[in-house]
């Protein structure tokens, strides 16, 4: 199924939902959704979702658990009109383009991608990485939740910017930050603004040609290796929570 034109609500205030069910076939959007009047929610059921335009959605974006989203251009997704508890889950992401998400209060999950040229989440409530995210561009995530797991790098994940930097920023204050159950690496810089919690096992943070900067406490009863191979390591505090081993 291919939709070549733009898709808009008659009025965003009317909270129009939009759903496409293609079963095991492919859905292709050649243009934007909500560029004039945002839809309330977007649901795609398909094996492949080819995305050739920006999305502006005021609520959930529901993609099937078996749906691969393939970018056909640089894409911006805006869900800043949403409510707390709305979700965006990407089962898989393909396409040699950049993805930028202004998620508002959404909870966002990335199952994995190895093709994008850049990944930016400029706002969200929480972000979870449940699979391998290894791309040549920058990976930048900003969250506002107050939990230590506001950014949650789960055990099956790996975060790797092979030609750029990784930046995690938690603005919720208190214990808000990034919980690491897997390793994080970058060709350039690795920066975590907020608490860094080492959750399970020995964790390695690597910056091949840049710096590692932790602007917040490093905590967790685990071993941490901070490898800035051609740069510097800067720590704020260590062990204000449980003491790690460096």
């Amino acid at each position: 199924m291919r939709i070549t034109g733009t898709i808009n609500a008659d009025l965003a205030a009317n909270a129009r939902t939009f759903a496409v069910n293609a079963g095991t076939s492919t859905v292709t959007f050649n243009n934007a959704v909500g560029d004039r009047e945002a839809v309330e929610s977007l649901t795609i059921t398909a094996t492949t979702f080819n995305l050739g335009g920006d999305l502006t959605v005021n609520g959930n974006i529901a993609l099937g658990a078996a749906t691969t989203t393939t970018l056909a251009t640089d894409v911006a997704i805006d869900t800043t009109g949403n409510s707390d508890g709305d979700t965006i889950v990407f089962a898989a992401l393909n396409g040699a383009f950049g993805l930028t998400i202004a998620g508002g209060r959404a909870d966002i999950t990335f199952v994995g991608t190895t093709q994008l040229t850049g990944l930016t989440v400029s706002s969200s409530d929480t972000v979870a990485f449940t699979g391998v995210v290894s791309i040549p561009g920058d990976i930048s995530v900003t969250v506002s939740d107050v939990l230590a797991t506001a950014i949650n790098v789960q055990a099956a994940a790996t975060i790797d910017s092979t030609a750029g930097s990784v930046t995690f920023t938690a603005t919720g204050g208190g214990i808000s930050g990034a919980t690491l159950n897997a390793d994080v690496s970058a060709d350039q810089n690795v920066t975590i603004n907020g608490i860094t919690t080492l959750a399970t096992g020995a964790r390695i943070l690597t910056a091949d040609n840049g710096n590692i900067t932790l602007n917040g406490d490093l905590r967790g009863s685990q071993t941490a290796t901070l490898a800035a191979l051609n740069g510097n390591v800067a720590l704020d505090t260590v062990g204000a929570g449980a003491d790690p081993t460096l």
Side-chain angles (χ1 to χ4, degrees):
M1 179 183 296
R2 181 184 299 273
I3 299 175
T4 59
T6 58
I7 301 164
N8 285 278
D10 49 354
L11 288 173
N14 289 337
R16 305 300 189 192
T17 62
F18 185 64
V20 179
N21 187 347
T24 58
S25 298
T26 296
V27 172
T28 299
F29 288 179
N30 284 353
N31 275 292
V33 174
D35 60 331
R36 295 192 306 275
E37 296 288 344
V39 298
E40 183 67 15
S41 66
L42 175 66
T43 301
I44 302 294
T45 303
T47 300
T48 302
F49 177 34
N50 295 320
L51 184 53
D54 298 337
L55 303 179
T56 303
V57 180
N58 284 338
N60 289 320
I61 296 177
L63 305 175
T67 300
T68 296
T69 301
T70 300
L71 306 187
T73 186
D74 291 334
V75 169
I77 296 176
D78 184 346
T79 63
T80 53
N82 61 7
S83 300
D84 189 30
D86 286 335
T87 60
I88 309 172
V89 180
F90 294 97
L93 277 166
N94 291 332
F97 296 97
L99 176 61
T100 300
I101 302 174
R105 290 173 288 176
D107 298 312
I108 303 172
T109 299
F110 297 101
V111 175
T113 179
T114 59
Q115 295 187 13
L116 299 187
T117 58
L119 176 60
T120 299
V121 179
S122 61
S123 66
S124 62
D125 197 15
T126 65
V127 170
F129 296 97
T130 65
V132 174
V133 175
S134 178
I135 63 174
D138 292 337
I139 301 170
S140 178
V141 173
T142 300
V143 299
S144 59
D145 195 84
V146 299
L147 299 176
T149 54
I151 299 171
N152 189 358
V153 181
Q154 297 185 13
T158 298
I159 307 300
D160 184 18
S161 172
T162 59
S165 297
V166 175
T167 304
F168 290 160
T169 300
T171 63
I175 64 171
S176 178
T179 292
L180 305 183
N181 295 278
D183 299 336
V184 176
S185 59
D187 178 67
Q188 298 298 314
N189 301 312
V190 173
T191 303
I192 300 179
N193 301 307
I195 304 298
T196 302
T197 300
L198 308 174
T200 56
R203 298 276 62 87
I204 302 173
L205 276 65
T206 305
D208 291 334
N209 295 292
N211 303 318
I212 296 174
T213 304
L214 303 184
N215 293 313
D217 189 53
L218 174 63
R219 61 182 62 177
S221 302
Q222 309 294 336
T223 298
T225 299
L226 308 178
L229 304 182
N230 293 288
N232 300 310
V233 174
L235 302 179
D236 187 359
T237 59
V238 177
D243 292 340
T245 300
L246 298 176

